[in-house]
Amino acid sequence: IAGITQAPTSQILAAGRRMTLRCTQDMRHNAMYWYRQDLGLGLRLIHYSNTAGTTGEGEVPDGYSVSRANTDDFPLTLASAVPSQTSVYFCASSGGLATDTQYFGPGTRLTVL
Amino acid sequence: GQNIDQPTEMTATEGAIVQINCTYQTSGFNGLFWYQQHAGEAPTFLSYNVLDGLEEKGRFSSFLSRSKGYSYLLLKELQMKDSASYLCAVRDRDYKLSFGAGTTVTVRA
């Protein structure tokens, strides 16, 4: 079934640890995005990639890094997790054309203690 | 950047109509989207407006006025399953979305 998968579904992490959230899509979409969603703040863009090999910073990039080695995968890494990174993380993808919408993965619930 | 405002909560009765307003201020407008998000789930696409006017899709309609920086989502013949958060999002010229905080709609029997 075509779509976006994320792993893990949820994770509890000690502060200071390194963590990589995985995102894979099989729709051959050019563009991919990482958001975090916090109560009362809505979805905020962390990083994005318009095509394989390129990445850009969103609204809240500090403490996060991404890579886009191929079309399908867009991992998000927290080099040294802090409690303020406790959130629900959503990956999304789109075809990149003017009329294309973004489709979201199921999310990863991350708790940093 | 984008500044997007929408009400925090709305409550309506099953079978009724609810209108969710969204106002925005943007440095570069390239479309407005509405998403639905049920608790604990991912956002799902509802509608897209890039030109002024009304877009109708079944029980849901979305309206856009670019000159006023204003949109609304109209939900007709409300059903219990429509209880969810509704997210207004503005796309910029780089195809990035900025989201409002969302409006939680509660449908009561």
Side-chain angles (χ1 to χ4, degrees):
Chain A
I1 296 177
I4 304 176
T5 58
Q6 292 184 236
T9 302
S10 65
Q11 182 74 45
I12 299 174
L13 190 66
R17 297 295 296 268
R18 180 184 179 89
M19 177 72 191
T20 295
L21 308 185
R22 299 184 297 279
C23 175
T24 300
Q25 54 100 1
D26 62 2
M27 297 178 283
R28 306 306 293 173
H29 282 170
N30 286 323
M32 297 187 74
Y33 311 84
W34 273 106
Y35 296 88
R36 59 178 291 172
Q37 187 173 38
D38 303 290
L39 194 63
L41 294 178
L43 286 157
R44 292 181 292 169
L45 183 65
I46 305 171
H47 283 286
Y48 66 95
S49 168
N50 287 329
T51 188
T54 69
T55 63
E57 294 185 345
E59 180 184 353
V60 288
D62 294 343
Y64 305 94
S65 63
V66 291
S67 61
R68 186 87 184 279
N70 57 62
T71 298
D72 298 345
D73 301 299
F74 191 41
L76 176 74
T77 297
L78 290 66
S80 179
V82 295
S84 62
Q85 292 177 311
T86 293
S87 188
V88 180
Y89 291 86
F90 287 101
C91 179
S93 72
S94 74
L97 299 178
T99 55
D100 285 349
T101 188
Q102 290 186 19
Y103 296 93
F104 285 79
T108 294
R109 183 174 296 275
L110 182 67
T111 302
V112 183
L113 301 176
Chain B
Q2 323 280 13
N3 185 22
I4 301 165
D5 291 312
Q6 52 183 127
T8 302
E9 295 180 333
M10 301 183 75
T11 301
T13 304
E14 196 173 14
I17 298 172
V18 68
Q19 177 175 314
I20 306 169
N21 296 323
C22 173
T23 59
Y24 63 89
Q25 296 172 322
T26 178
S27 58
F29 179 83
N30 192 19
L32 188 142
F33 293 77
W34 285 95
Y35 283 82
Q36 180 190 60
Q37 186 177 25
H38 285 100
E41 298 183 6
T44 56
F45 169 73
L46 283 180
S47 70
Y48 166 68
N49 296 70
V50 66
L51 300 176
D52 290 351
L54 188 69
E55 293 285 340
E56 297 187 86
K57 190 182 293 186
R59 294 188 298 114
F60 294 177
S61 303
S62 57
F63 172 83
L64 175 66
S65 170
R66 289 173 296 170
S67 62
K68 295 182 179 178
Y70 168 70
S71 173
Y72 68 72
L73 179 69
L74 196 68
L75 285 62
K76 295 177 281 190
E77 301 171 16
L78 278 173
Q79 301 176 9
M80 299 300 288
K81 66 178 181 180
D82 297 331
S83 291
S85 285
Y86 292 85
L87 314 178
C88 174
V90 175
R91 186 171 63 185
D92 65 19
R93 292 196 178 96
D94 295 325
Y95 296 102
K96 299 194 299 294
L97 289 180
S98 294
F99 284 82
T103 300
T104 298
V105 171
T106 301
V107 181
R108 294 183 173 168

